[in-house]
């Protein structure tokens, strides 16, 4: 690996759903302002993993997360750490676009309002405009900001959700299979966007599409049955993986 | 008599079933002939032909029997121009009471021959009923028997009958609604011929008791002034609003807490416990309101130097609100649970707290469902009877003071119609006019609410 | 934005969160508190009615005063008046009482005391000319005093018993002549104008008949209608009209059904007033949609694979439904029916309109006899002025709730025990 700064690092991360263990001893370093892709067959724990990074697993009653997760060197997987502060720094985009039942404008303005980021209406307008521009949606929606978010197409909805995530200026954006519900054209647009966003944000993307991982990421991790089998530069993983399993998965022998 | 005929029909049908089944079994065994359906179905076929026509005739005949007797008996009185419908009805019920030996007081001599006539007509009708039904049974059985021997497709016919019977059962719902609308409309129209609809809807003086004591000459003039239903509409609305101001906040917050905060175990215990409130008979709430809550409010009022009447809109409204809590809370809980999890996660992932998520994302998404459930609760409150009868009072006050007695549509219907009442007087008919108002009020609210809830469910399911 | 400001905002947000959660807990607490207050209130008022207070009175069965001898027939005994020996026994409690106070002495026991003595005598013929201690029902006012429901310290002219009666009563208590017994007569007596004699037998039987008629009509009709709508109804206008009607009828105020019963069953078809027959018919119409809706839900829950399996074997649609689907949906249907019936059991308003509010002092023997039902009995007694009836009303409510609990528990049991969860 190279000398990039480490943004998030996990050590001995174990996750349990009730009695069932979902993740085993994950040690992973995520580089700042890089795209890290997590691949693996479904049910391998990659989604569970990124949900640990902004403590979204807290929502699930039976889920227990053990181990250390450090963001910029400070521990976040502790009871007394404020989850809302973490989530303000680490945004998330979900598998299915989930715009709120509000107008496009209010969807974006939701985060800044909650966190008190805008002191005046003008500032808020600016944040909304910037977020939509960054997510390459501004041109398409600037004339209909008052329409409900749900009136957009699937791809637009997902970009709206990305805009919503960046509206509060996070440091990290977690993407949980953001293109799985989209058609190829919308997918291409999102991938373009990810390329653009990595200039200012650290991005972690879970994907089931290996070609997508190869296209957008710099580092790739391969998960299998709750274990991190291999983590390396994307190029290396796809051309010359160390692990036999990784090789089999990438060449399509299972998965 | 009806019971005897009914038993006869049942016995006949059952034996027809056995006969049909064994007949087919025998025939096919003896002659080796193959029948289209299983032997049971021929049994059912015979039984249906034996029982159904007879039952239908029995039903309609029994319902119209007294009606026919009345026409025969009153034919003699019809010629007298002095007797209006009201008096004719009275005469008929007297004759009937004499005939059934239930008449109290001295029996008017003039009516005795008619009571004998009543009995004889009745006897003739009963006998002819028996004869008609028996002959129908014989006719339809001979027909059905000949059909069986022709090896018809018994199963298909039986199944067709089953479908028709089931359809008629479902259609009862429509007939009930029709019955409600027609019976209410029929009396209301009579009412509105003597009292103008305009006065009823806009009048502010409600004193139907006075319409009763006038003699015929002044009645029409005064009747118009005592049937102003505005105080009742107001009272109904007012008490319903008091109830909702108790039920909505408590119900809403309980529902939200159960859906969003409580553990599964806690919810499993609490939800049925709260729902018990809706299962307690309303008369119990009425008793509680009249004997405990009313006096309690009065004592508090006295200590505060307020004049609280012991039957007050407040007591009735608050207790009604308690009763309605589960309607709001359980539906809110259901509706909130129907909101997709992804919306919540989206909001939490931005760093919103749980309550922010609920207030700004979940509730707006669930709003149509919640509005629907509140509307249904309002319709319950408007139609609720026993609590207001027992605790709200009878005075038709047009007041915004919740500490005074107040009256509602339902209370007045009960007060007018409780005990003996003679039809064909404006007071009784007024109750039906109130009934139809109530029916349409609640109907409109229900239709709107059910539609909203349906649309909401379609959106997320 | 600076950090201090941010922390302040965060604190504010967390306080809002705590407040919001508190409102939720508070609301649930209030709802549950209301429930317990209501139940506690009813039980504390009503439990007394299951006990009755009796007075042990020494009665001299004087042959002359009774006008009987050892060979008297039962009929003669029934016709004899026991009033005089009762009065003697009562006056003996305070032999020196002035004439004015004697009437008050007689009022210590219930008006049925004479009948009670007669009954006692009929069972013990050999006590003629002997003195015997008989247990008689106390008057309702002193009964209430004994149970502590009547404050004794209010002025004499504002209570329903005099100082003199109270003095006699206190003497009797100190001599252990006042006893408390289980009040079986509350369950076996019909209604009465006297609180100490009133019982729920007539309304209990009336409720039973009414519910029976209701079940007989609504269950078969409801279940057939539900099967039709769920399994056979074609998707057309008529079906839609029926469905809309069913859903709306379930939300029509119950009193409207009372108006229907009055206007159609009583006024048009001349069915007998005040009877369980008409009451049951009205309640059946009201209960019908409440049975159809859960029954349809139970049918809907049966997975299509079951139907397809049977149809694939060549069974007709009717056979498939009747043999395979309906039995699987039965537990849900039954529990829905029981819950519908339990609502009918507690219904009052429609029955008031069809005349089931008459004062009935005999126990009805068929559904065609005039009768009251439990909830109407509650209404009737709660309108009475006598304090003794408060206790009776609450006790009737306890009985009513007892039946409701049994019915609902049975429904829940059925649902949990037999309802399969189709995944």
């Amino acid at each position: 690996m190279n000398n990039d700064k480490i943004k998030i690092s996990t050590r001995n991360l174990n996750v349990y759903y009730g009695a069932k263990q979902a993740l085993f001893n994950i040690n992973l370093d995520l580089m700042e302002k890089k795209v890290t892709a997590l691949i693996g067959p479904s049910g391998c724990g990659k989604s569970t993993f990124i949900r640990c990074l902004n403590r979204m697993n807290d929502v699930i009653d039976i889920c227990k997360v053990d181990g250390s997760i450090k963001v910029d060197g400070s521990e976040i997987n502790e009871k007394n750490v404020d989850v809302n502060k973490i989530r303000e720094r680490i945004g998330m985009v979900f598998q299915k676009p989930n715009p709120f039942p509000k107008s496009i404008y209010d969807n974006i303005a939701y985060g800044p309002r909650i966190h008190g980021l805008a002191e005046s209406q003008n500032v808020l307008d600016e944040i909304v405009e910037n977020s939509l521009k960054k997510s390459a949606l501004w041109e398409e929606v600037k004339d209909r900001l008052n329409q409900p978010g749900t009136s957009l197409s699937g791809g637009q909805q997902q970009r709206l959700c990305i805009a919503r995530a960046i509206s509060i200026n996070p440091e990290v954006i977690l993407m949980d299979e953001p293109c799985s519900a989209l058609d190829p054209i919308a997918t291409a647009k999102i991938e373009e966007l990810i390329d653009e966003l990595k200039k200012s944000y650290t991005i972690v993307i879970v994907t089931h599409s290996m070609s997508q991982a190869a296209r957008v990421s710099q580092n790739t991790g391969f998960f299998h049955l709750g274990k991190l089998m291999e983590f390396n530069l994307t190029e290396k993983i796809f051309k010359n993986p160390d692990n036999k399993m990784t090789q089999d998965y990438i060449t399509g022998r299972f998965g | 008599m009806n019971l005897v005929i009914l038993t006869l029909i049942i016995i006949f049908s059952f034996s027809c079933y056995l006969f049909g089944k064994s007949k087919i079994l025998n025939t096919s065994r003896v002659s080796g002939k193959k029948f289209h359906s299983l032997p049971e179905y021929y049994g059912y076929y015979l039984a249906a032909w034996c029982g159904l026509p007879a039952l239908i005739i029995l039903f309609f005949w029994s319902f119209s029997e007294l009606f026919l007797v009345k026409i025969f008996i009153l034919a003699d009185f019809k010629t007298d121009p002095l007797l209006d419908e009201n008096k004719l009805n009275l005469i008929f019920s007297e004759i009937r009471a004499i005939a059934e030996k239930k008449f109290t007081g001295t029996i008017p001599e003039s009516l005795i021959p008619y009571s004998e006539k009543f009995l004889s007509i009745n006897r003739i009708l009963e006998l002819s009923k028996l004869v008609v039904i028996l002959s129908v049974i014989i006719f339809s059985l001979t027909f059905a028997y000949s059909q069986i021997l022709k090896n018809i497709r018994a199963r298909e016919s039986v199944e067709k009958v089953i479908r028709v019977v089931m359809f008629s059962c479902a259609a009862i719902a429509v007939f009930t609604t029709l019955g409600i609308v027609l019976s209410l409309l029929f009396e209301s129209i009579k009412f509105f011929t003597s009292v103008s609809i305009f006065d009823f809807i806009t009048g502010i003086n409600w004193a139907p008791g006075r319409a009763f004591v006038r003699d015929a000459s002044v009645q029409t003039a005064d009747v118009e002034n005592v049937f102003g239903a505005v105080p009742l509409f107001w009272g109904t609305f007012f008490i319903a609003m008091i109830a909702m101001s108790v039920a909505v906040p408590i119900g809403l917050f309980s529902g939200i807490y159960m859906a969003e905060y409580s553990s599964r175990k806690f919810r499993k215990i609490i939800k049925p416990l709260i729902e018990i409130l809706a299962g307690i008979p309303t008369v119990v709430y009425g008793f509680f309101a009249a004997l405990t809550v009313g006096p309690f409010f009065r004592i508090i009022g006295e200590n505060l130097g307020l004049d609280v009447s012991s039957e007050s809109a407040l007591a009735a409204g608050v207790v009604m609100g308690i009763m309605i809590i589960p309607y709001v809370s359980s539906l809110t809980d259901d509706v909130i649970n129907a909101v997709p999890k992804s919306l919540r996660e989206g909001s939490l992932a931005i760093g919103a707290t749980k309550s922010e998520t609920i207030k700004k994302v979940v509730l707006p998404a669930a709003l149509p469902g919640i509005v629907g459930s509140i509307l249904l609760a309002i319709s319950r409150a408007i139609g609720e009877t026993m609590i207001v009868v027992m605790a709200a009072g009878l005075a038709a006050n047009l007041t915004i003071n919740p500490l005074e007695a107040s009256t509602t549509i339902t209370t007045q219907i009960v007060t007018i119609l409780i005990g003996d009442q003679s039809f064909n007087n404006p007071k009784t008919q007024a109750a039906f006019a109130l009934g139809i108002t109530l029916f349409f009020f609640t109907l409109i609210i229900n239709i709107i609410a059910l539609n909203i809830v349906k649309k909401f469910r379609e959106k997320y399911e | 934005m600076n950090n201090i400001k941010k922390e302040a905002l965060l604190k504010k947000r967390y306080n809002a969160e705590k407040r919001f959660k508190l409102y939720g807990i508070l609301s649930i607490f209030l709802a549950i508190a209301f429930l317990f207050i209501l139940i506690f209130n009813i039980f504390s008022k009503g439990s007394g009615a299951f006990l009755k207070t009796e007075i042990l009175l020494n009665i001299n069965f004087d042959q002359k005063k009774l006008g009987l001898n050892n060979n008297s027939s039962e009929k003669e005994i029934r016709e004899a008046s026991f009033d005089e020996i009762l009065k003697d026994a009562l006056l003996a409690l305070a032999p020196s009482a002035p004439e004015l106070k004697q009437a008050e002495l007689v009022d210590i026991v219930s008006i049925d005391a004479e009948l009670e003595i007669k009954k006692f005598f009929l069972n013990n013929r050999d006590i003629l000319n002997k003195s015997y201690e008989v247990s008689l029902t106390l008057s309702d006012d002193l009964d209430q005093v004994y149970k502590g429901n009547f404050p004794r310290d209010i002025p004499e002219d504002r209570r329903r018993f005099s100082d003199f009666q109270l003095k006699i009563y206190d003497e009797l208590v100190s001599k252990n002549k006042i006893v408390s017994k289980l009040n079986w007569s509350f369950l076996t007596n019909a209604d009465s104008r006297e609180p100490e004699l009133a019982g729920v037998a007539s309304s209990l039987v009336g409720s039973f008949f009414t519910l029976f008629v209701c079940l007989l009509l609504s269950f078969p009709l409801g279940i057939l209608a539900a099967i039709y709508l769920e399994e056979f109804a074609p998707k057309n206008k008529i079906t839609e009209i029926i469905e809309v009607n069913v859903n709306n009828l379930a939300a029509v105020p119950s009193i409207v059904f009372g108006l229907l019963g009055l206007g159609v069953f009583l006024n048009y078809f001349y069915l007998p007033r005040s009877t369980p027959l008409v009451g049951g018919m009205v309640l059946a119409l009201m209960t019908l949609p409440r049975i159809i809706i859960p029954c349809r839900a139970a049918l809907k829950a049966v997975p299509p694979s079951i139907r397809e399996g049977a149809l694939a074997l060549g069974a007709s649609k009717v056979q498939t439904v009747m043999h395979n689907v309906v039995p699987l949906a039965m537990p849900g249907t039954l529990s829905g029916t029981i819950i519908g019936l339990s609502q009918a059991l507690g219904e009052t308003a429609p029955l008031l309109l069809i005349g089931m509010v008459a004062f009935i002092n005999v126990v009805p023997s068929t559904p065609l006899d005039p009768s009251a039902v439990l909830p109407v009995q509650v209404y009737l007694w709660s309108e009475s002025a006598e304090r003794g009836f408060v206790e009776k009303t609450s006790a009737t409510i306890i009985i009513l709730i007892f039946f409701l609990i049994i019915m609902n528990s049975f429904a829940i049991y059925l649902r949990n025990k037999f309802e399969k969860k189709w995944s």
Side-chain angles (χ1 to χ4, degrees):
Chain A
M1 287 226 187
N2 47 34
N3 298 329
D4 287 333
K5 194 184 159 227
I6 293 171
K7 183 70 185 174
I8 303 179
S9 70
T10 69
R11 291 293 173 268
N12 298 324
L13 190 68
N14 289 295
V15 178
Y16 307 85
Y17 287 113
K20 196 180 152 247
Q21 187 162 6
L23 286 178
F24 299 85
N25 273 327
I26 308 294
N27 299 307
L28 191 73
D29 293 325
L30 301 167
M31 302 302 158
E32 186 163 37
K33 298 198 176 154
K34 288 274 156 29
V35 180
T36 305
L38 305 176
I39 57 171
S42 43
C44 66
K46 50 197 194 302
S47 291
T48 306
F49 176 73
I50 67 162
R51 288 171 64 94
C52 293
L53 303 182
N54 67 344
R55 302 256 309 258
M56 278 308 279
N57 282 332
D58 290 15
V59 179
I60 302 162
D61 284 339
I62 55 164
C63 184
K64 200 172 127 252
V65 181
D66 268 357
S68 144
I69 304 168
K70 283 188 170 145
V71 178
D72 290 338
S74 56
E75 181 61 45
I76 64 160
N77 191 26
E78 270 171 10
K79 264 229 145 63
N80 55 7
V81 175
D82 187 333
V83 278
N84 294 327
K85 276 190 188 163
I86 298 168
R87 289 176 190 162
E88 196 184 341
R89 290 168 65 194
I90 305 178
M92 190 166 193
V93 177
F94 295 83
Q95 190 168 357
K96 254 178 76 185
N98 54 353
F100 302 141
K102 299 168 180 292
S103 70
I104 294 172
Y105 184 95
D106 285 336
N107 256 287
I108 314 275
Y110 180 72
R113 276 188 186 135
I114 284 178
H115 294 289
L117 299 182
E119 317 234 276
S120 69
Q121 190 58 40
N122 288 341
V123 181
L124 192 59
D125 289 347
E126 215 169 282
I127 293 177
V128 170
E129 189 178 334
N130 278 336
S131 311
L132 283 169
K133 275 181 177 155
K134 274 191 196 159
S135 61
L137 197 60
W138 176 250
E139 289 305 319
E140 290 160 57
V141 300
K142 66 180 175 195
D143 301 322
R144 45 174 177 148
L145 289 175
N146 286 324
Q147 286 184 12
T150 43
S151 66
L152 299 171
S153 72
Q156 288 173 324
Q157 286 190 10
Q158 194 61 299
R159 275 179 284 150
L160 181 69
C161 293
I162 294 175
R164 191 174 71 192
I166 58 186
S167 67
I168 49 173
N169 208 15
E171 297 155 30
V172 181
I173 301 175
L174 309 172
M175 296 188 177
D176 189 356
E177 303 197 16
C179 303
S180 65
L182 304 182
D183 60 74
I185 297 168
T187 304
K189 274 204 174 139
I190 304 263
E191 286 178 8
E192 246 169 66
L193 179 59
I194 293 173
D195 234 26
E196 189 61 33
L197 291 173
K198 75 164 190 261
K199 288 173 192 156
S200 10
Y201 306 101
T202 305
I203 294 174
V204 185
I205 176 169
V206 163
T207 173
H208 58 256
S209 147
M210 281 168 283
S211 55
Q212 186 173 59
R215 281 195 300 270
V216 301
S217 70
Q218 284 76 53
N219 298 316
T220 298
F222 170 60
F223 279 78
H224 184 56
L225 298 178
K227 294 190 175 101
L228 179 64
M229 306 306 291
E230 187 168 359
F231 182 69
N232 218 321
L233 291 174
T234 303
E235 228 166 294
K236 172 111 173 55
I237 291 254
F238 279 92
K239 284 199 179 128
N240 183 19
D242 294 334
N243 191 304
K244 176 79 175 42
M245 283 283 238
T246 320
Q247 172 112 46
D248 287 351
Y249 179 70
I250 286 164
T251 49
R253 271 184 223 156
F254 76 97
Chain B
M1 191 64 177
N2 284 343
L3 220 57
V4 175
I5 297 178
L6 196 67
T7 327
L8 272 182
I9 293 175
I10 291 171
I11 293 172
F12 278 166
S13 302
F14 190 67
S15 33
C16 280
Y17 166 72
L18 294 178
F19 171 72
K21 192 175 160 186
S22 62
K23 173 79 192 165
I24 296 301
L25 271 175
N26 281 337
T27 322
S28 63
R29 204 172 40 228
V30 171
S31 66
K33 193 172 159 192
K34 246 186 110 47
F35 282 87
H36 168 267
S37 314
L38 292 173
E40 285 100 285
Y41 282 99
Y42 292 94
Y44 289 137
Y45 183 79
L46 270 190
W49 269 104
C50 165
L52 282 181
L55 278 177
I56 291 169
I57 292 175
L58 176 68
F59 181 77
F60 284 105
W61 192 303
S62 307
F63 258 117
S64 46
E65 213 165 35
L66 263 172
F67 209 70
L68 289 174
V69 178
K70 187 177 169 185
I71 291 175
F72 280 122
I73 296 268
L74 291 182
D76 292 1
F77 293 91
K78 277 267 157 66
T79 44
D80 191 342
L82 283 177
L83 294 169
D84 60 7
E85 203 192 326
N86 214 356
K87 284 185 185 135
L88 283 175
N89 275 336
L90 191 69
I91 290 173
F92 178 67
S93 45
E94 275 177 353
I95 293 172
R96 188 177 167 211
I98 296 169
E100 287 170 355
K101 305 214 161 41
K102 282 178 184 162
F103 196 87
T104 45
T106 42
I107 297 172
E109 287 292 327
S110 59
L111 292 181
I112 289 178
Y114 289 104
S115 76
E116 277 155 13
K117 192 175 165 195
F118 178 95
L119 285 179
S120 65
I121 293 175
N122 230 358
R123 218 168 305 132
I124 294 168
L125 278 174
E126 296 267 278
L127 267 180
S128 47
K129 176 160 74 177
L130 187 64
V131 172
V132 166
I133 285 177
L134 283 180
S135 44
V136 163
I137 288 180
I138 291 167
F139 263 119
S140 51
L141 267 186
T142 14
F143 170 73
Y145 187 66
S146 68
Q147 290 289 307
I148 283 191
L149 294 181
K150 280 191 221 148
N151 186 13
I152 45 128
R153 304 179 158 204
R155 197 190 70 203
E156 282 164 23
S157 314
V158 169
E159 289 185 350
K160 211 179 268 168
V161 170
I162 292 179
R163 275 173 197 242
V164 170
V165 169
M166 287 197 298
F167 173 76
S168 340
C169 292
I172 287 180
V174 181
F175 286 114
T176 310
T177 311
L178 262 175
I180 290 174
V181 172
L182 288 183
S183 65
L184 293 182
L185 213 55
F186 191 62
E187 295 296 327
S188 308
I189 287 173
K190 281 197 216 155
F191 174 68
F192 288 126
T193 52
S194 56
V195 178
S196 101
I197 238 186
F198 184 76
D199 287 342
F200 178 71
I201 295 177
T202 60
I204 55 163
N205 179 27
W206 179 265
R210 276 196 224 136
F212 217 36
V213 287
R214 309 273 149 197
D215 56 297
S217 53
V218 282
Q219 190 167 355
T220 30
D222 274 354
V223 153
E224 279 159 21
N225 302 332
V226 295
F227 287 110
V230 171
L232 311 191
F233 297 156
W234 168 249
T236 307
F237 172 78
F238 189 45
I239 291 179
M241 284 308 113
I242 296 175
M244 294 319 286
S245 60
V246 172
V248 168
I250 296 183
L252 210 55
F253 273 109
S254 311
I256 290 170
Y257 190 86
M258 285 192 289
E260 295 282 344
Y261 286 100
S262 74
S263 67
R264 211 176 271 216
K265 225 167 151 190
F266 182 73
R267 179 163 169 262
K268 221 177 153 184
I269 300 169
I270 289 299
K271 199 173 178 188
L273 258 182
I274 293 183
E275 278 170 359
I276 291 178
L277 283 174
I280 292 175
T282 55
V283 69
V284 177
Y285 282 106
F287 176 69
F288 182 61
L291 259 90
T292 308
V293 179
F296 175 69
F297 281 160
R298 203 182 47 207
I299 292 167
I300 290 186
E302 271 168 14
N303 289 338
L304 295 173
L306 290 170
D307 184 25
V308 184
S309 114
S310 61
E311 290 188 322
S312 66
L314 188 66
V318 166
V319 171
M320 196 192 282
I322 295 173
M323 183 192 84
I324 289 173
I325 290 173
Y327 290 86
V328 182
S329 71
S330 290
L331 264 164
T332 304
D333 178 47
D334 291 348
V335 165
I336 288 183
N337 275 324
V339 173
K341 221 173 82 192
S342 66
L343 282 183
R344 273 179 204 104
E345 293 201 325
S347 167
L348 291 173
I350 296 176
T353 62
K354 213 162 181 173
S355 65
E356 283 161 352
T357 304
I358 294 166
K359 276 186 277 190
K360 294 185 179 143
V361 177
V362 177
L363 285 186
L367 194 65
I370 292 175
V371 169
S373 73
I374 289 178
L375 279 179
L376 283 179
I378 291 179
S379 129
R380 277 284 314 190
I382 291 178
E384 173 46 47
T385 310
M386 291 320 292
I387 296 177
V388 281
V389 165
M390 293 165 83
L394 297 174
N397 285 333
L398 201 55
T399 170
I400 53 161
N401 181 359
L403 306 178
E404 278 182 43
S406 191
T407 196
T408 68
I409 298 177
T410 49
T411 314
Q412 289 304 319
I413 295 177
V414 170
T415 341
I416 292 173
L417 293 183
I418 208 165
D420 282 318
Q421 66 290 108
S422 68
F423 274 77
N424 290 332
N425 89 54
K427 194 180 156 196
T428 311
Q429 289 156 358
F432 282 84
L434 288 175
I436 203 160
T437 322
L438 178 69
F439 179 72
F440 279 117
F441 263 155
T442 50
L443 188 71
I444 290 166
I445 298 178
N446 290 339
I447 288 178
I448 295 173
L450 289 174
N451 268 329
I452 293 177
V453 172
K454 200 172 142 201
K455 285 238 171 70
F456 170 78
R457 293 212 186 282
E458 277 163 4
K459 194 167 155 194
Y460 287 117
E461 275 167 14
Chain C
M1 185 180 274
N2 60 43
N3 259 342
I4 303 168
K5 232 174 167 178
K6 197 144 185 172
E7 285 303 316
L9 177 71
L10 209 56
K11 210 175 154 197
K12 215 174 112 193
R13 285 173 61 202
Y14 284 152
N15 283 337
E17 168 78 22
K18 270 187 213 145
R19 259 198 321 273
F20 193 77
K21 205 171 163 181
L22 186 73
Y23 294 149
I25 295 176
L26 210 65
S27 301
I28 289 190
F29 173 77
L30 273 177
I32 303 287
F34 285 143
L35 178 66
F36 280 105
I37 290 172
L38 178 67
I39 290 178
F40 177 77
N41 187 277
I42 300 290
F43 270 77
S44 60
K45 273 190 191 143
S47 52
F50 295 101
L51 293 176
K52 73 190 283 194
T53 318
E54 295 192 336
I55 172 174
L56 298 174
L57 204 56
N58 215 11
I59 289 178
N60 183 14
F61 290 88
D62 190 326
Q63 188 169 1
K64 270 187 225 139
K65 282 182 179 158
L66 288 172
L68 297 170
N69 58 45
N70 283 327
N71 303 320
S72 294
S73 69
E74 190 167 330
K75 184 164 175 263
E76 280 171 312
I77 296 174
R78 285 196 188 281
E79 279 165 4
S81 163
F82 286 66
D83 277 331
E84 204 176 344
I85 57 168
L86 171 65
K87 199 174 168 193
D88 287 348
L90 284 167
L91 293 184
L93 290 173
S96 55
E99 199 140 331
L100 262 172
K101 298 277 181 192
Q102 286 181 358
E104 289 179 12
L105 272 177
V106 173
D107 278 346
I108 285 181
V109 292
S110 118
I111 59 159
D112 257 12
E114 193 244 355
L115 280 174
E116 287 170 358
I117 302 174
K118 196 177 279 180
K119 223 166 149 193
F120 183 82
F121 182 73
L122 277 167
N123 292 331
N124 308 278
R125 298 278 190 90
D126 53 335
I127 56 176
L128 197 61
N129 275 333
K130 289 179 197 153
S131 273
Y132 215 89
E133 196 162 67
V134 183
S135 178
L136 300 174
T137 306
L138 204 62
S139 84
D140 65 306
D141 297 318
L142 289 174
D143 174 55
Q144 290 300 306
V145 174
Y146 190 77
K147 286 168 181 163
N149 294 339
F150 230 136
R152 312 172 48 128
D153 45 6
I154 49 176
E156 188 178 6
D157 53 346
R158 280 179 54 192
R159 43 181 148 84
R160 296 166 50 91
F161 48 89
S162 62
D163 283 341
F164 175 69
Q165 282 176 321
L166 209 55
K167 197 182 117 230
I168 301 286
Y169 162 81
D170 285 337
E171 274 170 25
L172 286 166
V173 172
S174 65
K175 282 191 225 151
N176 284 331
K177 294 289 182 195
I178 303 280
V179 291
S180 204
K181 281 190 182 167
L182 260 189
N183 189 3
W184 286 110
S185 59
F186 180 58
L187 294 177
T188 54
N189 280 8
D191 195 6
S192 162
R193 299 276 185 220
E194 306 297 323
E196 71 273 22
L197 300 173
V200 291
S202 53
S203 45
L204 208 57
V205 175
S207 264
F208 173 77
F209 282 144
T210 309
L211 222 53
F212 184 71
V213 173
C214 176
L215 173 71
L216 223 55
L217 291 173
S218 62
F219 182 62
L221 293 180
I223 203 168
L224 287 176
I227 295 173
Y228 177 78
L229 289 175
E230 198 55 43
E231 303 284 341
F232 295 101
K235 280 231 173 308
N236 61 19
K237 205 86 201 153
I238 298 173
T239 310
E240 205 178 295
I241 292 174
I242 294 178
E243 286 188 348
V244 168
N245 264 301
V246 170
N247 288 335
N248 279 323
L249 277 182
V252 165
S254 60
I255 191 169
V256 172
F257 288 95
L259 286 171
L260 171 73
L262 176 63
V264 175
F265 294 153
L266 296 189
N267 191 36
Y268 198 75
F269 289 120
Y270 292 103
L271 294 177
R273 259 181 93 82
S274 310
T275 54
L277 176 73
V278 179
M281 285 167 74
V282 169
L283 292 182
L285 290 181
M286 200 187 80
T287 313
L288 205 56
R290 295 175 188 181
I291 292 180
I292 294 177
I293 291 170
C295 182
R296 286 189 67 179
L299 287 168
K300 199 176 254 164
V302 177
S305 59
I306 300 247
R307 295 179 184 84
E308 283 158 9
L311 287 172
L313 287 173
S316 72
K317 180 96 202 227
V318 173
Q319 283 171 321
T320 304
V321 171
M322 292 302 174
H323 297 168
N324 298 296
V325 180
V326 172
L328 288 173
M330 219 48 193
T333 308
L334 283 180
S335 78
T337 306
I338 295 170
I339 288 173
L341 282 180
S342 80
Q343 284 169 344
L345 175 62
E347 201 51 70
T348 323
L351 302 182
L352 296 184
L353 299 196
I354 56 157
M356 291 186 90
V357 275
F359 172 72
I360 308 291
N361 55 3
V362 286
V363 178
S365 50
T366 73
L368 287 166
D369 294 337
S371 81
V373 292
L374 285 172
V376 172
Q377 192 75 73
V378 171
Y379 170 70
L380 281 174
W381 282 347
S382 73
E383 302 280 288
S384 303
E386 278 106 333
R387 192 171 280 254
F389 275 124
V390 172
E391 185 181 270
K392 298 276 166 171
T393 316
S394 305
T396 315
I397 291 175
I398 294 173
I399 293 175
L400 186 59
I401 289 179
F402 172 75
F403 282 113
L404 291 179
I405 289 174
I406 289 183
M407 290 172 83
N408 281 289
S409 322
F410 186 56
I412 293 168
Y413 168 79
L414 270 181
R415 194 159 44 198
N416 291 345
K417 172 104 185 178
F418 296 107
E419 196 154 70
K420 275 209 181 85
K421 283 272 176 282
W422 309 100
S423 49

